[in-house]
Amino acid sequence: MKMLRLRFCLFGVIIALLQCYFAMLSSAQITHPLEVSVLQAVRRKLIDTQGNLNNWKKSDPCTSNWTGVVCILDKNDGYFHVRELRMLHLNLSGKLAPELGLLTYAKRLNFMWNNINGSIPKEIGNMTSLQLLLLSGNQISGPLPDELGNLPNITKFQLDINQISGPLPRSFANLNTVRHFHMNNNSISGQIPPELGALPQLIHLLLDNNNLSGYLPPELSKMPKLTVFQLDNNNFNGTEIPESYGNMSTLLKLSLRNCNLQGSVPDLSGSPHLLYLDLSSNKLVGSIPTNKLSVNITTINLSNNMLTGPIPSNFSGFPHLQKLLLKNNNLSGDAPTNIWQSVTLGSFVKFTLDFRNNSLTNISGIINPPANVSIKLQGNPVCQRANELNILPFCGVPTEDTEAPGSSNDFPEGCKTQSCPFSDNFEYVPESPAPCFCAAPLGIGLRLRSPSISEFQPYKFPFELWITDHLGMNRYQLVIDSFMWEEGPRLRMYLKIFPSFSNDTYTFNTSEILQLMDEFATFSIPGDDTFGPYDLLNFTLLGPYKDVILKHPKSGMSRGALLGIVLGSMSLIVAISLVIAFIFYKKHKRFYRQVFKKKSTQKLPFKTESVREFSFLVLEMATNGFDNSMQVGQGGYGKVYKGVLADGTIVAIKRAHEGSLQGQQEFFTEIELLSRLHHRNLVPLVGYCVEQGEQMLVYEFMPNGSVVLDTSSLVKAKDLQVFL
Ligand SMILES: *[C@@H]1O[C@H](CO)[C@@H](O)[C@H](O)[C@H]1NC(C)=O
Ligand SMILES: *[C@@H]1O[C@H](CO)[C@@H](O)[C@H](O)[C@H]1NC(C)=O
Ligand SMILES: *[C@@H]1O[C@H](CO)[C@@H](O)[C@H](O)[C@H]1NC(C)=O
Ligand SMILES: *[C@@H]1O[C@H](CO)[C@@H](O)[C@H](O)[C@H]1NC(C)=O
Ligand SMILES: *[C@@H]1O[C@H](CO)[C@@H](O)[C@H](O)[C@H]1NC(C)=O
Ligand SMILES: *[C@@H]1O[C@H](CO)[C@@H](O)[C@H](O)[C@H]1NC(C)=O
Ligand SMILES: *[C@@H]1O[C@H](CO)[C@@H](O)[C@H](O)[C@H]1NC(C)=O
Ligand SMILES: *[C@@H]1O[C@H](CO)[C@@H](O)[C@H](O)[C@H]1NC(C)=O
Ligand SMILES: *[C@@H]1O[C@H](CO)[C@@H](O)[C@H](O)[C@H]1NC(C)=O
Ligand SMILES: *[C@@H]1O[C@H](CO)[C@@H](O)[C@H](O)[C@H]1NC(C)=O
Ligand SMILES: *[C@@H]1O[C@H](CO)[C@@H](O)[C@H](O)[C@H]1NC(C)=O
Ligand SMILES: *[C@@H]1O[C@H](CO)[C@@H](O)[C@H](O)[C@H]1NC(C)=O
């Protein structure tokens, strides 16, 4: 018992000293040292032309406001750990470092809207806490690593608008927590694995604008929560839409436009909540099923197929219908031009019926619809009787289909221009209950990436409610400055959020701004059926917000750091370094196992206790990316670096340059020889690395002229290499 308590006590003291040690290394270093090295490695692989990461050099990441680094203090080990990398829109290029895999506390990795290229490091599969992987809008290429299927807590993959190629890994079927697959606009190819049908939580499957082929797996309809299913612009070379796709009870949107599909239109009466159906530009044949569709449907697009038979009468009776598009088929019978009468038409709601280029011979119902109803009948036999039927306007030149961009720059009447400093980004809040309330908005670029509507105007109000309800604001505080439909269709919009007039401040304070940004950047606004998933494009901080640094509140200095400042002294540090190395190893065995895990199948052909294999990654981190400042020697074979391993052990690393690489067999023979040589003048060999086309030997570091004997070409036999 006593023994145990003594051990605990000793342990406590050692931990305190450990923290003190790192606190002393740089004035107040309290981010976990391994994660500091990881961030340095991440920085080295990035190219930052605008200097957005200039502050990633000084002292400690978590305590000195490194751009985009959000941390959390782990009370158990007394260190800050990286919780999130929020590198949104920083014009970064370069690559993602494999070292990211060591950020095991990180929940969110956000590099959206940069120019990053290279491939997704497979090591990201080791970020066990990761929930959001956000890489939209870069130039990332290469395949999706199988290892991403290991992420135990991932909920959102946002990898769209890149150049990712290769197939969808089967391992993704293991992702029991994943809710969002947003991988549109890449070059993903091959068969969709049927195994994905087992994903229990998936709600959004966006794979449009890729290069998928093969067949559409019927198994996908088994996903119990799927709401958005969008695969447009792929090439399923002539396969059919499985009947089971009409059976997804949670489905809100089914979009299989331009997929090279054959067969017939499925019966969709098993999807009672469907809002948006697009099967256009395929080779579908047969007639349109007459089964009942959801009463709330907004969009039906079956254009550009080879459909025959009549237009079913059940297309009337949908009060929220915005578009019924059936052009370029071979439909016959009557054009149900009276459908508009069952639609709830607000004064500015547009309603489109497009029946162009079919074989329709008659119309049903009355004509003279209101101006916001657009009916297109060009290219049908019925237009030969246009005069007689009084439908000339619908047989003439067709009008544009897509809703025009909108904006609301209302300047409230009766407010004086000069009393609001517009030049400083202040403006009148249009619908403020206090007249002429002048305040400074935050700008937010947002995009709805798969909305279930075709016309936004009628949904502006519900949209404003959706956002403001979640943010706990009044509706007048949100202004939709502009919106515009894009290819997809997706809806890009620019929002302005104003402070509340009741606060009497006209601006948001810094913590309010950070909180608002958090809400958007962490995607914590819950999804909405109608609006679907959204994209964050940018934050715009102008006028009074220009100088707001996007830092994040910290929970103050850890006890360790304070202790360090009180206790620390250099001699103490020297004395405890050895103990620390041991404790550190014990505490962070997991990192070690991860880091030292062999990647290659290459094995030493003999057994040795004393020599271990190092991964390239570990040696790269130990030497600051083989930085010149770490170089301590040079010979014909290459360079020698001083390296500090994560446990504090100092080593000398001999890295062969390309010209002096030897055959694997010879290299291993040399290692065997070195591992058996023991001599007091000889520096002991600790390990080696044979990864990524490299050959490196790792020795114990001995300052002051210790001598290393090498036996073969790595260091020419006659050389006696002197360190320092
Ligand atoms: C971090 O930012 C805050 C506020 O901008 C500032 O007061 C503090 O000095 C910064 N810390 C460092 C180490 O730069
Ligand atoms: C972003 O970086 C690229 C080079 O990588 C540069 O050409 C471009 O001007 C930068 N954009 C901005 C807005 O600075
Ligand atoms: C990645 O971008 C860098 C510059 O930003 C360029 O030099 C390099 O060739 C690019 N690599 C690939 C694979 O596109
Ligand atoms: C991830 O970690 C596990 C053990 O924690 C290890 O086996 C594996 O090799 C690591 N993978 C990568 C790609 O680093
Ligand atoms: C995954 O999430 C669960 C519940 O949110 C949590 O208990 C668990 O610790 C997480 N796992 C990792 C590796 O972070
Ligand atoms: C996605 O791909 C489609 C088809 O290539 C293209 O029209 C659209 O503009 C792309 N969207 C983005 C945001 O790049
Ligand atoms: C799409 O995949 C086909 C093979 O299925 C390949 O030949 C073609 O090059 C790919 N296209 C793109 C743009 O990746
Ligand atoms: C698939 O495409 C190939 C080449 O484009 C074609 O020869 C083949 O007939 C197609 N298969 C089907 C089922 O349409
Ligand atoms: C649709 O679901 C029902 C019951 O849920 C089932 O009986 C039927 O076989 C399913 N149809 C298809 C084509 O999967
Ligand atoms: C149609 O929409 C209304 C209002 O949003 C909703 O209450 C109703 O449940 C929806 N009906 C179906 C079948 O989804
Ligand atoms: C933010 O996005 C909006 C909408 O796309 C765009 O109009 C605006 O120029 C963007 N602002 C910046 C600073 O990129
Ligand atoms: C501003 O006013 C709103 C309600 O009017 C209130 O909830 C909020 O806490 C106020 N903010 C500040 C900083 O006083």
Side-chain angles (χ1 to χ4, degrees), residues 377-396:
L377 294 171
Q378 295 83 3
N380 282 287
V382 70
C383 276
Q384 291 159 10
R385 296 192 291 139
N387 248 330
E388 171 198 335
L389 293 168
N390 199 16
I391 53 169
L392 265 180
F394 314 128
C395 292

Side-chain angles (χ1 to χ4, degrees), residues 37 41 45 56 147 155 161 166 227 272 279 346 399 445 454 457 480 670:
S37 327
K45 294 264 160 69
W56 274 48
E147 286 81 355
T155 60
I161 317 182
T227 63
L279 303 177
T399 46
S454 298
Q457 281 290 0
I480 301 170
E670 176 174 339

Side-chain angles (χ1 to χ4, degrees), residues 252 271-275 293-297 320 529-530:
L252 299 170
S271 301
H273 305 293
L274 197 67
L275 297 175
L293 290 171
S294 163
V295 68
N296 285 344
I297 200 152
H320 304 289
D529 284 357
T530 311

Side-chain angles (χ1 to χ4, degrees), residues 218 221 242-248 270:
S221 66
E243 264 176 57
S244 61
Y245 284 18
N247 228 5
M248 289 189 253

Side-chain angles (χ1 to χ4, degrees), residues 91 98 220 258 294 469 490:
N91 202 23
L220 296 187
N258 189 27
S294 163
D469 273 2
R490 311 184 198 276

